[in-house]
Amino acid sequence: MTLVVPGAKQRAAHSTAPERPTWLPAWPIASVLALYPLWWALGLGVLIFLIMAVPMLVLLVRRRAAGRMLRLPPGFLWWAVFLAAVVISIVALGADPPGTVAEHASDRLLAVVYRLAVYASMTILLIYAGNLTEDELPRKRLVKLLGWLFVVTVAGGLLGMVAGRFEFTSPVEWLLPGEIRSKGFVQSLVHPYAAQIMDLVGGEKPRPAAPWGYTNTWGNNFCLLMGWLVVAAWATRRARHKVFALLCLGAAIAPAVVSLNRGLWIGIGVVVCYVAIRYVLMGRLWIIGAVVLAGAGLVVALFVTPLGDVVNARLDNGKSNGVRSFLVERAVDGFAHSPIVGYGSTRNTIGGRNSITVGESSGCERCGNFTVGGNGQFWQLMYAHGAVGTIAYLGFFGYGLWRFRRDRTPIGIAGSAAIVSSFAAMFWYNAIPTPLAFMFLAYALLWRNQLEGDAHAR
């Protein structure tokens, strides 16, 4: 006789049913990085980071619902305070600080929504990347993907040099109404082009921008990604990978110089000096000879090629210095009027730095109506989100540098160097969207390196 317990069949059936998988797939991140040239050509470009945040969020929620714990990055409270400051600062969106163009709060809402979407998407990216395991996405593979994007950046720079006026209408752009796709901001998102054409040293010249939309973003990402190519190449025993990395770094000199991007030149110096100091403190004094040798090679290259003349011309023509100083003054003045919460977003100045009657026009796009907070992440944080937002933003990345300061692995040094370069760049580059993505991926690698490195050691 068989004893039948009420509900036993149902429980047995339930126990034999396949459990919902709790692992996180690598494809939401890997596809963004590996296929970025394709996304750029389709007109998705930087938007792909926002798009892929949706499946990342769904997968994270599904994993949490299945009972698996989700880790939050070290110092996440700082970032949570920053996000709260961004939201709270919207209450001041209708304010018109002295010297700025008066607008209704609704006219500024689109930029605020975009910025909120970027910060939310990047937060999801950080949490997702940090919760991936070695079985799901090995750190070495993520490093290779970031190194690949440096190669893409160099290729885009070379394209901007030899075909500065190359551009085409993307499929996404074709789908947009004409009045929308004609806007400059939308063009920077969906319209692929090789370079920005600017007059900085006498005559209009192309400044590499592909595939990142702006020359300044191109330079910022250059500094954030270059270390990962070196780490990826020296993580393998194959000599051809090292040779390729050296050739790529050599080829990167030309577009870096032609970009006329002084912030990029400073950023490269910051990265090299930081890495050299870290290695010297580790007792590896050979790095001094390597830096001296590389510096000598660079000087020779500038001396025997026309690139040296380009550098001298840029240093002799500081056309952007006055505008930057003007915008810094406006940002500091605005901060003084609203130091706690800021103004929720950027503002456009009335006129230019020489006269309030000068304005932007089709014949002179850079004559006036400059964007306060558009000349560097630090100034945007101060102006748009006040002291609370600025301190919380800097506190998060500063805490990360302190928390992972003892990581002497190649990943640890490259990740810290990327964050250090972002601290230097914040005074002339804005960080959203792609630079912030690469800062967060560097943070995630440092975070995982600590967790998984310690686990391997145990």
Side-chain angles (χ1 to χ4, degrees):
M1 181 176 179
T2 303
L3 180 63
V4 179
V5 179
K9 290 184 178 182
Q10 290 85 342
R11 287 195 296 271
H14 178 73
S15 63
T16 57
E19 294 184 359
R20 178 182 295 178
T22 58
W23 52 272
L24 294 176
W27 64 263
I29 291 180
S31 61
V32 169
L33 305 182
L35 301 177
Y36 193 84
L38 174 62
W39 305 130
W40 175 71
L42 291 175
L44 292 172
V46 298
L47 297 175
I48 193 64
F49 286 93
L50 282 70
I51 294 170
M52 283 298 179
V54 176
M56 288 185 206
L57 179 60
V58 171
L59 290 166
L60 286 172
V61 171
R62 181 179 298 176
R63 176 169 173 155
R64 185 68 185 90
R68 291 287 298 275
M69 182 178 67
L70 292 178
R71 300 189 299 261
L72 292 177
F76 187 74
L77 181 59
W78 284 103
W79 187 252
V81 172
F82 168 71
L83 294 178
V86 171
V87 174
I88 293 172
S89 66
I90 297 177
V91 301
L93 201 58
D96 296 316
T100 62
V101 177
E103 290 180 306
H104 193 271
S106 59
D107 297 328
R108 298 164 177 153
L109 196 57
L110 180 61
V112 172
V113 171
Y114 173 74
R115 199 171 294 117
L116 282 172
V118 170
Y119 284 135
S121 301
M122 297 310 161
T123 303
I124 295 169
L125 173 67
L126 172 62
I127 296 174
Y128 194 92
N131 278 273
L132 289 167
T133 65
E134 283 294 286
D135 292 332
E136 294 161 348
L137 179 61
R139 283 165 289 168
K140 287 185 178 180
R141 186 185 175 198
L142 181 52
V143 168
K144 289 179 180 178
L145 289 170
L146 292 172
W148 152 249
L149 278 185
F150 179 74
V151 176
V152 171
T153 302
V154 174
L158 294 173
L159 176 64
M161 282 183 58
V162 301
R165 298 187 182 276
F166 172 79
E167 60 179 314
F168 60 93
T169 303
S170 70
V172 171
E173 188 178 358
W174 275 114
L175 298 175
L176 296 176
E179 64 274 12
I180 294 179
R181 67 167 177 253
S182 62
K183 296 182 181 298
F185 173 70
V186 176
Q187 286 276 301
S188 69
L189 296 177
V190 302
H191 184 73
Y193 52 86
Q196 287 186 281
I197 310 299
M198 295 183 178
D199 179 6
L200 292 180
V201 293
E204 292 188 340
K205 300 184 184 301
R207 304 179 66 200
W212 306 116
Y214 293 103
T215 299
N216 282 348
T217 307
W218 184 87
N220 201 350
N221 289 341
F222 187 107
C223 295
L224 288 167
L225 295 169
M226 65 185 231
W228 298 119
L229 177 67
V230 178
V231 174
W234 264 258
T236 177
R237 296 181 180 179
R238 298 179 180 179
R240 66 175 181 271
H241 291 169
K242 298 180 177 63
V243 172
F244 174 79
L246 292 174
L247 291 175
C248 185
L249 290 170
I253 295 174
V257 172
V258 172
S259 71
L260 304 175
N261 201 326
R262 292 171 299 177
L264 167 59
W265 303 344
I266 295 172
I268 293 174
V270 169
V271 171
V272 171
C273 289
Y274 176 81
V275 172
I277 292 172
R278 287 290 302 269
Y279 270 82
V280 168
L281 293 176
M282 292 162 56
R284 301 178 183 180
L285 301 181
W286 58 264
I287 192 68
I288 298 176
V291 171
V292 171
L293 184 62
L298 178 60
V299 171
V300 171
L302 295 177
F303 184 76
V304 301
T305 67
L307 295 177
D309 296 333
V310 175
V311 173
N312 290 330
R314 182 66 181 102
L315 296 178
D316 292 337
N317 290 273
K319 288 187 176 182
S320 62
N321 293 348
V323 175
R324 288 187 176 276
S325 299
F326 171 70
L327 289 177
V328 168
E329 291 175 4
R330 298 283 76 75
V332 173
D333 289 344
F335 176 78
H337 285 87
S338 181
I340 306 300
V341 299
Y343 293 104
S345 184
T346 58
R347 298 289 191 275
N348 292 326
T349 63
I350 298 176
R353 59 192 175 97
N354 296 320
S355 172
I356 62 173
T357 63
V358 178
E360 180 181 341
S361 66
S362 58
C364 186
E365 295 182 356
R366 298 169 62 84
C367 287
N369 301 130
F370 303 117
T371 302
V372 184
N375 61 315
Q377 184 71 8
F378 180 76
W379 312 115
Q380 184 175 113
L381 292 171
M382 280 180 51
Y383 193 82
H385 311 305
V388 176
T390 304
I391 293 172
Y393 181 96
L394 299 179
F396 175 69
F397 289 105
Y399 177 83
L401 284 175
W402 176 258
R403 173 69 176 261
F404 307 120
R405 69 190 184 280
R406 293 190 177 90
D407 189 339
R408 298 182 175 184
T409 65
I411 288 179
I413 294 176
S416 298
I419 295 177
V420 168
S421 75
S422 73
F423 272 99
M426 73 172 61
F427 294 102
W428 43 81
Y429 292 148
N430 290 95
I432 59 174
T434 51
L436 183 59
F438 300 138
M439 290 161 63
F440 270 170
L441 289 175
Y443 202 104
L445 278 167
L446 290 168
W447 172 23
R448 284 184 54 187
N449 215 36
Q450 184 182 69
L451 292 173
E452 293 160 359
D454 290 347
H456 290 166
R458 286 195 295 270

